[in-house]
Amino acid sequence: MKRQTKISNAVIKRLPRYRRYLRELQKKGIDKISSNEFSNLTGYTASQIRQDLNNFGGFGQQGYGYSVDGLYNEISVILGLDKEYKMVIVGAGNLGQAIANHTYYYKTGFIVCGIFEINPKLIGMKINDIEVMDYDSIVEFVEDNDIDIGIICTTKDAAQEVADKLCFAGVGGLWNFAPVDIETPHHVAVENMHISDSLHSLAYHMNKSQNQEEKK
């Protein structure tokens, strides 16, 4: 498979969408799909789909299209979803509990192994049979259990300190839900998830549509 050292983030962010639709096609028993049919399904142009996939080798056959199973498996490998990841959550409030429940019920290959808190009222409670532990023990737990990903569901002020501790303990990636961008060493990947940004984008598109209707 063709691999390049520099693939744009825009391409990477489209791959999970492709994979999700391919999974739906698998469930329907569909074996192959053309780029035009896939375009109608995903909302991206056929040219965009072909261009994205060509970054990794293409995978399609002229006159045949794409093998649904083959493309699904290839994208899974590209995204690193052909293996499981062990995770810890820092922050056992509403958001931390929601993420723990989501990963538990949807069985996505991302396994929550530990949940940590500083609030003594939450320490000791169980979420899907996982006992919430004292944050002070997180470094030892991460090191002993070879944790891959840290999920930060703390306040803005605590997020960077938590990130530093998780990086020190040896995680390979951070999923940050605190309302602040965190910094990590170059070898630790990070996704800063700003929920409000998505709402602001939604507001823009709603108002844009409304203004277009009013001009008609």
Side-chain angles (χ1 to χ4, degrees), residues 13-45 49 52-53 66-73 75-76 79 81:
K13 287 183 180 297
R14 285 191 287 271
L15 293 181
R17 184 180 177 93
Y18 295 156
R19 182 177 179 272
R20 177 158 47 86
Y21 279 105
L22 287 165
R23 182 60 184 143
E24 292 303 313
L25 292 172
Q26 287 180 322
K27 291 178 180 178
K28 295 176 181 177
I30 297 174
D31 296 325
K32 65 178 182 178
I33 189 169
S34 70
S35 56
N36 286 328
E37 290 169 333
F38 204 33
S39 170
N40 293 332
L41 192 63
T42 63
Y44 299 118
T45 66
I49 292 169
D52 288 348
L53 297 178
Y66 299 105
S67 161
V68 171
D69 287 345
L71 186 55
Y72 177 87
N73 292 334
I75 291 177
S76 295
L79 290 172
L81 300 179

Side-chain angles (χ1 to χ4, degrees), residues 65-185:
Y66 299 105
S67 161
V68 171
D69 287 345
L71 186 55
Y72 177 87
N73 292 334
E74 291 285 0
I75 291 177
S76 295
V77 171
I78 291 167
L79 290 172
L81 300 179
D82 54 333
K83 56 185 176 181
E84 290 188 340
Y85 294 89
K86 295 190 289 185
M87 309 188 298
V88 294
I89 297 173
V90 184
N94 292 334
L95 180 57
Q97 292 182 38
I99 292 173
N101 287 327
H102 177 85
T103 57
Y104 177 81
Y105 286 111
Y106 287 93
K107 312 294 184 188
T108 58
F110 295 84
I111 312 302
V112 175
C113 300
I115 304 171
F116 295 85
E117 248 295 339
I118 60 170
N119 185 346
K121 294 181 179 179
L122 298 178
I123 296 171
M125 70 178 288
K126 286 191 174 182
I127 303 171
N128 296 320
D129 295 327
I130 300 175
E131 185 172 338
V132 177
M133 294 173 277
D134 192 322
Y135 173 66
D136 287 342
S137 64
I138 193 169
V139 170
E140 183 180 3
F141 183 91
V142 169
E143 291 176 341
D144 289 347
N145 292 277
D146 295 322
I147 298 300
D148 302 297
I149 296 172
I151 304 174
I152 300 176
C153 301
T154 66
T155 64
K156 174 181 178 180
D157 293 338
Q160 187 62 56
E161 186 270 336
V162 170
D164 293 342
K165 186 166 287 191
L166 289 166
C167 291
F168 172 79
V171 300
L174 295 175
W175 201 18
N176 173 41
F177 285 87
V180 61
D181 287 347
I182 58 173
E183 298 180 358
T184 62

